[in-house]
Amino acid sequence: MTQKKLLVVAFSAIVLISNNVQGQSKLQTIFKKITTTTKPGTSKTTTTTTTTTTSATAKPTTTEIGLGIKEALEIGTSRGADLLSAKDGFLGNLAVKILFPPEAQKVEKTLRTLGLGSLADNVITSMNRAAEDAAKEAKPIFISAIKQMTITDATNILLGNQNSATEYFKRTTTSQLMDKFKPVIAASLSKVGATKYWGDATTQYNRLPMVTRVNTDLSDYATQKAIDGMFIQVAQEELTIRNNLGARSSTLLQKVFGYADKIK
């Protein structure tokens, strides 16, 4: 009985309010508040999410592709150079560790057989230490190549093969890396005694009867292997950026590489 009375009173109040302008205004205000109130998880939240998703998957402009590729490659090459220039960056990484030249592997085997394994180890260690010293010179060379990259280069890298960026760097930086690496490696080999170790090793080997003499230029060999190792590391960093979503550390990288994922 009480509820019915309350309903009657409420209805009467609505009728009275609706009969005057001020009442109508209040009533409209009430209805606006009711209709615009949104609970958590309703259409308003859904609309925001949809907008964000659309923005993240939208096709990037050519400018965004250029900037995104340059950002990604600068991160990747800088990280690669830092890793290889650290102590044991070459020596402790089996993918890039510099070993005896192929034509001199018989030298290493013979030295170890004769109990001169420490001499062979010294040669290997010194070559890798020299490469680690040289790797410090790589970063500015890569950064310069990235800055000179055109929009076409960037687009080809983004939509190309998994190693497109690495191949671009091989084309644009190899000669510069050779020029920079060789004097550093030569000085480093001399500093750590590699030239002497190598000279001692080859001398010992060349004295043996019935062997083919070895005259490998250790500096040239170590320089080429250091550059090869640098590109191996760059290729690894490129794969990480392309395939690891967690490596896409900015909205731009997510947009650019997300677009590449979508169309491939």
Side-chain angles (χ1 to χ4, degrees):
M1 191 67 180
T2 304
Q3 291 180 345
K4 289 182 178 180
K5 287 182 179 179
L6 289 174
L7 288 172
V8 171
V9 172
F11 179 76
S12 301
I14 292 172
V15 172
L16 289 173
I17 291 173
S18 62
N19 287 330
N20 60 78
V21 176
Q22 186 177 1
Q24 289 178 358
S25 177
K26 289 182 179 179
L27 193 59
Q28 289 174 359
T29 302
I30 291 171
F31 278 120
K32 283 182 180 179
K33 288 183 178 179
I34 292 172
T35 57
T36 57
T37 301
T38 305
K39 296 180 180 180
T42 59
S43 58
K44 189 175 182 179
T45 304
T46 304
T47 301
T48 302
T49 304
T50 302
T51 301
T52 302
T53 304
T54 301
S55 176
T57 57
K59 180 179 178 180
T61 65
T62 54
T63 299
E64 286 176 323
I65 289 175
L67 292 174
I69 287 295
K70 289 181 179 184
E71 179 183 333
L73 295 181
E74 186 167 341
I75 292 171
T77 55
S78 294
R79 174 176 163 76
D82 289 342
L83 287 172
L84 292 185
S85 63
K87 184 178 180 181
D88 292 336
F90 272 86
L91 188 63
N93 184 343
L94 293 179
V96 298
K97 183 178 180 180
I98 302 174
L99 303 175
F100 266 70
E103 69 274 14
Q105 287 176 359
K106 288 182 179 180
V107 177
E108 179 183 8
K109 184 177 180 180
T110 302
L111 290 174
R112 296 190 187 282
T113 300
L114 296 174
L116 299 173
S118 60
L119 183 57
D121 290 337
N122 285 337
V123 172
I124 292 172
T125 298
S126 58
M127 285 192 296
N128 284 277
R129 290 287 181 251
E132 289 160 11
D133 283 344
K136 298 171 185 175
E137 304 291 329
K139 190 185 295 188
I141 294 174
F142 284 133
I143 297 300
S144 176
I146 291 169
K147 289 180 178 178
Q148 295 174 36
M149 185 180 292
T150 66
I151 294 295
T152 300
D153 290 330
T155 303
N156 290 339
I157 287 172
L158 177 66
L159 304 180
N161 297 326
Q162 292 280 60
N163 65 340
S164 293
T166 305
E167 291 303 313
Y168 169 81
F169 284 122
K170 284 182 179 180
R171 291 194 310 271
T172 59
T173 66
T174 296
S175 61
Q176 295 176 67
L177 289 172
M178 183 66 76
D179 290 342
K180 283 286 187 179
F181 275 33
K182 190 166 184 178
V184 174
I185 284 184
S188 183
L189 288 173
S190 178
K191 178 182 69 177
V192 299
T195 305
K196 179 180 182 303
Y197 295 140
W198 180 248
D200 291 346
T202 54
T203 298
Q204 291 279 357
Y205 179 80
N206 289 337
R207 284 176 179 170
L208 297 174
M210 307 297 290
V211 299
T212 302
R213 293 179 62 83
V214 174
N215 296 302
T216 302
D217 185 323
L218 191 63
S219 179
D220 280 348
Y221 170 74
T223 299
Q224 186 59 59
K225 295 301 290 183
I227 292 173
D228 292 345
M230 182 62 64
F231 286 129
I232 288 172
Q233 188 64 45
V234 167
Q236 184 175 325
E237 297 297 329
E238 180 179 4
L239 283 177
T240 298
I241 293 169
R242 288 186 185 275
N243 301 327
N244 183 354
L245 295 180
R248 301 171 187 179
S249 54
S250 71
T251 302
L252 180 60
L253 293 183
Q254 291 165 13
K255 183 176 185 178
V256 169
F257 284 95
Y259 167 70
D261 292 342
K262 184 178 179 181
I263 68 172
K264 284 186 176 181

